[in-house]
Structures are given as C-alpha cells and as structure tokens.
Amino acid sequence: MITSNQDVFQILTEAISEGIVIVDEKQHIVAINSATEFMFGYAKGELINKALDTLIPVQYHKAHTHHFKGFIKNKEARAMGMDKVLHGAKKDGTVFPIEVGLNPIVVENKSFVMALVVDITKRVEIEKTLHIKSKALQHASNGIIITDALQKDHPIIYANTAFEKITGYTQEDILNKNCRFLQANDTEQKSIKKIRNAVAKGKSCHVVLRNYRKDGSMFWNELHITPIKDNAGVVTHFIGIQNDVSQRKMAEENQAHLAAILDESLNEIYVFDSKSFKFLNVNYGAIKNLGYSLEELKNMTPADIKPEYTLEKFKNQVDPLLKKQVKTLGFETIHERKNGSKYPVEVHLQLSNFEDKEVFVAIILDISDRKKQEFFKIKQNRILELIVLDTPIETTLKDVAYLIEEQFEDVYVSILLLDQESQNLHGLVAPSLPEAYSKKINSMLIGEHVDSTGTTAFLEQELVVSNIETHPLWQTFKHLVSPHGLQACWTTPIVSSKNLPLGIFAIYRKENMAFANLNKQVVQVGNKLAGIAIEKHLTNKYIVKTQNQLERYAKNLQEQVDEQTKELKAALKKEIELNELKTKFLSLVSHEFKTPLSGILTSTMLLKKYTMVDQQEKRDKHINTITNIVNNLNNILNDFLSVEKMESGKVNYHFKEFKLSKVLNEVIYNSNMLLKDGQKIKYPENIDEISLQQDEKILELTLSNVIHNAIKYSPENSNIDVAIAQNKHQTVFKIKDQGVGIPEKDQKNIFNRYFRAENVLTTQGTGIGLNIVKNHIENLGGSITFASQEQVGTTFTITIPNKPAKDLL
C-alpha cells in the first residue's frame, strides 16, 4: 500500500516540518521524509532499508532495542523518553538532542512504527542558559528578591536561597509580602525613608539598615535597589540585592574600641625597634605596672626592665625571630619595676611592621598568681606525703597553716580539734598567732554564743565576723583577742570523709574587714587537707586503741575458753565449738588485717616515688587506695567493737522519728559503689510517706549489712530486689538476691558469730555481721529470718516495730 500510495505519502510527509521515520518490526527504515534526511545529514534515499540504530548513538543501542520491543508489544501511541532528553546521531557522528513521538500503524496486516522527530538543539540551549542563570541567582551569596511594581504594595515575587538563609524566612513566609516585614518595629530609620523616596521616584538606591530575622535577631543589611523598566520606560519590577554586613559593621564599631582596649589592657604591651631595640610605644598597662612614664620608656630597651638579661643576651634570645626561623617566641622571665620590686612574667614576641619599619610587638603577662598556684600545688602535695607517712599531726597541720598564710596578706590561721566526748575545742596549731591567745582558747566548750570557733563547731556551719569588737558572738570573749590586735575572724568546720565534725579551721585578721578578697577555693583546700590529716590521725589512734581492745578481748576469750574447758570437761562438743570459734576469730583478724595493711604499705612505698608535680594523679590514686583500705578496716573494727559492746551490755539506742526513704537512699547510694558489672538494686515504690520512730543508725547498719551481702554473694548481671511494706504496728523489709545461696546444712548456724557457710569461705568476710544485725533487731523488738536455695538465691525478711517498746525509751 505504501508503494501504491507513494505520491500521497510523499505529499504528506514533505508538508510536515518535523522528521518522519517509519520502521518495520525488525527496525528497518522503510520510509523517510526529506526533513529527516536533512536533519541527520543523509542524501535522499540513503537511509531506506537501513537499521534504525543508524540514527541512534552507539551507547544507546542496547537500551533502545529493549524499549522498541516493549512498544511493539503494547502498541500505544506515546512520546518517547518521557521526561528524558533523547539523542540522535548524524551521519558525521554529531550527537544532538531530539524529541520523538511514536505511533503504531498496521498496513496489510503488517505492523509499522511511525516516529515524528524534532531537533530540539536550540530549545535545549535556551533551557540550559535559563537554568544556569536560575542556578546563579539561587546560589548567589547575596540575598536577591524581585518585587512586582505594578501590584499594590509591591509584593515579593521571587527570593533566592541566600535571602532565606540570611533572614531565616521560608518561601511561604516571603512570597506575596512586602519586604517591610524585615524592619519589624524598627521603622524610623533614616535609611528606610531613603528607600521609600527612591521607590516612589522609580530610582536606584544603596543603603545600610537594621533588619530582623525570623527569630528576632538583628542584622545589618547592605541593600542595593534597582528598578526594571519595560520598553515604554514604565517601572515594572524592583530588584533588591542584600548582603549581611553585620560582621563588617561590628568590625567598624570594634575598631574604634581596639586601640582603647589594647591601651587599657592590664597586660603589658610593648612595641620596640628591631634594630635599636628601644621602645617606640607601650600601653597604659605597661606604664602602670612598671611605674615608668612613656617618655622614660622610649629611652629604654627590654633589657633595662629584665634584670636577668643584658642587651646582648636579649638579642640572642630573639635572634630566631629576626632570622624568620619562627613566627612567634615565648619565654618566662622577671620584670623589675622602677621602685625595684620584681615580678614573674610570660613574654610573647612576634615581628610586625609599623610606619614602614620592622618592629617587635611584645605582650607580657604577669604570672605572679600562676607561680603562686604552682608553689601552692607543690606544698599541697608535700603535705599529702606527710599525711601518708604518718608525720606527727602538729607538724603536718603547721605546714597547712603556713600554706594558707603564704597565699594572702594579713591572715593568721588556727586549727582546732573537736573532742567529741567532752565537746571541747583543743588548739592543735596556730603558728603565727600569739601563744598567749592560743592558750586562752584551748579546751573551750562549744556553744551557740561561744565566739566564732565555738559557734561554728556547735552549728556546724561557716561564720564570718568582719568586726570582732561589735559582733554579738564575741561580746563575752573579745577581751581575749583585743590585746593581740585581732579584729576579724572567718571560721569553717572541718569535717571527715563521712561529713562528721572534726574541728575548726579559723582565719584571723588584724584589720576590720571582710574576707571577700580571699580565694575561697584556696581556703577550702587548706580546710580539706586539715580534715584529711586529722581523720588519718584519729583513725590511727582508733586502730591502736581497737587493736589493744582486740588483744584484751582475745585474752579474755582465751581465759573464758580455758575456764569453761576446766569446768565443762564433760561437754566435749561445746568445747570443740568454742575452740573453732576462737580459731576462726584469730584467722579472720589475721587475714582481714594483713592483706589491707600490705596494700597500705605498697601504696605508701609507691607514693615516695611520685615526687613530681605532674604525678599528682598517681599520688591521688594511691591516697584513695589507702583511704578505702582504712575505711574498710574501720568498718571491720566497728563490727568487732559492736560485738564487745553487746556482750558488755553497753549498747544504747537513740530513737527518733525519720523518713524511711532518707535511710534507704543513703544505704543504696553507698551500696551502688560496691555493685559488680551489670548488677542492679531495684528500689521499692511508694515509700516516700513511710516514717518510723526507731534507731536510725541501727536500721541503716542492718539494711547495709544485708544488701552488701547480697551484692557480695551474687554474680554479675543480677538483680537485688528491695521490698518494703508497713501496717499500723510494724514495717517489713524483704531483700531478695540471685546469689549463691546458703547450703541447707549451714542455715541453722548462719546467725552464729564468726560462722561462715562453706560455699563462701574464700570470699572476704568476718562472719559477725549477721550476728550483730540479729542481736540489734531482736533488742528493738523485731526479727530477722531468711529463705535460701543454693544457686537460686536468698531472701532476708526483717520485721521491726514502727515504734519502740516503752521499756526501751
């Protein structure tokens, strides 16, 4: 049919400006118009029976074949490539963009595809140019907006990304709005009036004004406004180009202050000639610190204010700068004032240019305070070493007092020890106070109105008295200090690591003035060092005392065992049990003291090796080790003393009403420090309103003992449940663990003194904790029971009355 209607086809195809290509199912070209031949650069008839791939770039052949088969299968007219740009290949190999429309046709039961081809090279170039321009506007660093001058109120019709970034507004906030929203309420600026006049007259203008971002923050906007006119000269649009010049504006404002700042800086700033080394200029800080006038300094060199340097030596020092071997140079030295006084400084030097000549610029830092702090740290470490070495307490505390006195002018330190039994204060050291005054205040009772030291010890709080003569606390005692010229007093309590009062740290002055100019942190360091020294001293005394008590206790125990052996020969079984108790006790004492004491000895030996300032962290580590060991030994000794007190009937209970949550919080806080990896203590719910009238310390001891045992004998990644219930008469505690459990055969002896179950013999412990707890709880009218299964866990149940029995009050 195509052949028979060739003339008709020829007329139609030649009348169409687009290229027409008809191919059969095998993609052979069976017909083509002259527009196609011209478009692809072929002669007339040259493409007939050629493969369609002839007109397609090689790299697209594979994909084209796949798409062609799909089209033949579906046979639906459509545009080819959809939103993609297609490409054709000319005879000379040139690749150019095309647009293709596909139409399936059937002639004499044969399928053909007719493609309408349009060369879109010019369109693509135009679109590319427009795209580049659009991208340029969008990616410009300046904010750009376009307003419609023909609409009311000149709404914004375009804003680029930079405008959004500068102002914080989105396209939705910006479009179709007048740009005055950037002015907020700041509408009385002269620049705004200039803008209005320019817009009204259709002219350009350039202003800098305050604008405001969406978040309310202000920025300085440098704005260029340019009108756009049509062919008739009518202004149709305005283009606004803005730039955030806040930094430049700030720089301009700051520049005016820079000279004043440098001149008024407390640091010394010098400019001196790189050849003659004479000062050219100095700031006010240098003049003030040195005491020389500017005229005097201009006749001097840096060596004239550095007693450690000659001019030749100083030149050698800065030679690397002159040779450009380094850009900056820093070192420490001494400066000498006009009056002869000296102070340490840190020098920072660099080369610069001033009035067309090379000069040195020197910034000098007065490091007197830093040097004082370095010296302070060295002495602080020395005091810690004295504490570790068990130096006599008076020697150590004298060093503490001198440490604080050396840091300040007109201060006199006194350190007093609180006797807990007599409630008296005893003077330990006051190296710079008159000895007569120290003797007068020795053994003074504490009380609410007993001068500063007695009141501070009584109230356990800091007290500052800037005028002893008129302060009410000193009315009865001012005659003690007046003869010695002491006019002001600052007292702070010295407390132990457990926040228990140990004594008083007192600072006196001979002038009526407050202590605000003293560095409180420095004073707190002195107080803390005194606390550590006193606590170590008291702990040592306590250990000696306790060891003596243990020796007497062991001796008495031996005598009792011997006496019972003689009197109860028939009770052989009882005799064996007592001997086993004795053996366990001595073994426990030996084991529980020998290992920790070895640890203390090792840490002490290591501390002697760490003498450098930068080894403070290592010293702290061993000091903490010693402290922890001493606290552990103290707990063991407390257990032994508790046994002794119970047996001698010396236990006194102190009843008061308290919130149960307070005690439990303290117990769990301390217990958390003992937890193994993954262990958790589950806190009971709804206990904030539970109160008890009982001995708070005994309850804390009881819960601590049971919970600590649960932690010790439970594996990692296990839970310890604490449950509490209270009724009208009593409170019940249940502590459940997932530990090793207690063997059934050992359960009957678990509350016996010194007894330890066979499955925990290798674990540290004394075997007296549960015995002490049981005795205390039963003395208070309560009970303690347990249920346990090996490798499953143990639950202890503690029942205690909400109020003590009348006979205990």
Side-chain angles (χ1 to χ4, degrees), residues 336-593:
E336 184 173 4
R337 299 184 178 92
K338 186 175 182 178
N339 63 12
S341 60
K342 299 174 183 178
Y343 57 102
V345 296
E346 183 177 275
V347 179
H348 296 272
L349 269 175
Q350 67 181 53
L351 279 173
S352 185
N353 290 307
F354 177 70
E355 296 180 352
D356 297 327
K357 62 181 175 181
E358 196 172 51
V359 297
F360 284 103
V361 177
I363 299 177
I364 310 297
L365 309 180
D366 184 341
I367 58 173
S368 300
D369 288 341
R370 187 206 300 172
K371 289 297 182 182
K372 186 182 288 186
Q373 289 174 4
E374 291 175 359
F375 179 72
F376 181 81
K377 289 180 180 179
I378 292 171
K379 291 208 68 175
Q380 178 184 342
N381 293 335
R382 173 59 184 157
I383 290 169
L384 289 171
E385 291 177 4
L386 293 177
I387 294 171
V388 172
L389 296 173
D390 288 331
T391 305
I393 187 67
E394 290 80 7
T395 302
T396 302
L397 292 182
K398 273 186 180 180
D399 279 5
V400 174
Y402 286 136
L403 176 68
I404 302 305
E405 290 175 350
E406 289 165 356
Q407 297 298 308
F408 312 108
E409 294 181 2
D410 183 37
V411 297
Y412 307 90
V413 175
S414 174
I415 302 175
L416 301 97
L417 177 66
L418 175 62
D419 188 324
Q420 293 287 356
E421 294 184 4
S422 67
Q423 292 294 286
N424 283 352
L425 288 171
H426 299 283
L428 283 175
V429 295
S432 302
L433 283 173
E435 187 176 353
Y437 172 67
S438 298
K439 288 181 179 179
K440 288 177 183 177
I441 65 170
N442 198 29
S443 299
M444 180 179 290
L445 277 170
I446 69 171
E448 192 169 0
H449 297 288
V450 183
D451 72 31
S452 294
T453 57
T455 304
T456 295
F458 181 77
L459 299 177
E460 297 183 12
Q461 63 185 30
E462 179 182 317
L463 184 62
V464 177
V465 174
S466 57
N467 192 334
I468 291 175
E469 184 67 26
T470 60
H471 201 281
L473 290 178
W474 281 88
Q475 292 308 300
T476 310
F477 302 92
K478 63 183 180 182
H479 66 281
L480 298 176
V481 296
S482 296
H484 307 291
L486 303 176
Q487 299 295 321
C489 182
W490 176 15
T491 51
T492 55
I494 301 172
V495 297
S496 69
S497 57
K498 294 185 177 180
N499 212 33
L500 298 175
L502 298 175
I504 298 298
F505 196 90
I507 299 178
Y508 294 88
R509 279 188 146 170
K510 290 189 176 182
E511 295 182 14
N512 292 336
M513 60 187 299
F515 294 85
N517 65 326
L518 301 190
N519 187 325
K520 192 169 184 177
Q521 290 183 335
V522 171
V523 176
Q524 287 174 341
V525 169
N527 184 304
K528 191 69 176 178
L529 288 171
I532 295 171
I534 293 173
E535 186 170 9
K536 181 73 167 12
H537 169 70
L538 294 177
T539 301
N540 288 344
K541 287 181 64 176
Y542 184 69
I543 290 174
V544 172
K545 178 182 176 182
T546 305
Q547 286 176 334
N548 292 334
Q549 289 175 335
L550 286 173
E551 289 174 1
R552 291 196 299 272
Y553 182 76
K555 183 178 179 181
N556 291 336
L557 182 62
Q558 180 64 50
E559 290 174 354
Q560 291 175 15
V561 171
D562 291 343
E563 184 178 351
Q564 289 176 357
T565 302
K566 293 177 183 178
E567 295 177 354
L568 303 173
K569 291 182 179 180
L572 180 59
K573 183 178 179 180
K574 185 66 176 178
E575 177 184 351
I576 292 173
E577 291 177 353
L578 288 173
N579 278 325
E580 287 178 349
L581 285 176
K582 169 189 168 185
T583 302
K584 284 185 177 181
F585 169 75
L586 294 176
S587 175
L588 284 170
V589 170
S590 173
H591 179 267
E592 295 299 324
F593 277 76

Side-chain angles (χ1 to χ4, degrees), residues 270-282:
Y270 301 86
V271 178
F272 57 95
D273 189 82
S274 64
K275 295 181 180 179
S276 69
F277 281 76
K278 284 192 175 182
F279 292 120
L280 300 174
N281 205 347
V282 302

Side-chain angles (χ1 to χ4, degrees), residues 388-389 596-610 618-619 621-627 629:
V388 172
L389 296 173
L597 289 174
S598 296
I600 291 175
L601 180 60
T602 300
S603 292
T604 303
M605 293 171 67
L606 290 172
L607 273 172
K608 292 180 181 179
K609 297 181 179 180
Y610 303 139
K618 294 182 179 179
R619 288 193 291 271
K621 174 183 177 182
H622 290 291
I623 290 171
N624 289 336
T625 298
I626 293 171
T627 301
I629 292 174

Side-chain angles (χ1 to χ4, degrees), residues 228-243:
I228 303 298
K229 298 179 181 180
D230 61 13
N231 294 333
V234 177
V235 175
T236 59
H237 299 83
F238 281 96
I239 296 179
I241 301 176
Q242 68 175 31
N243 189 28

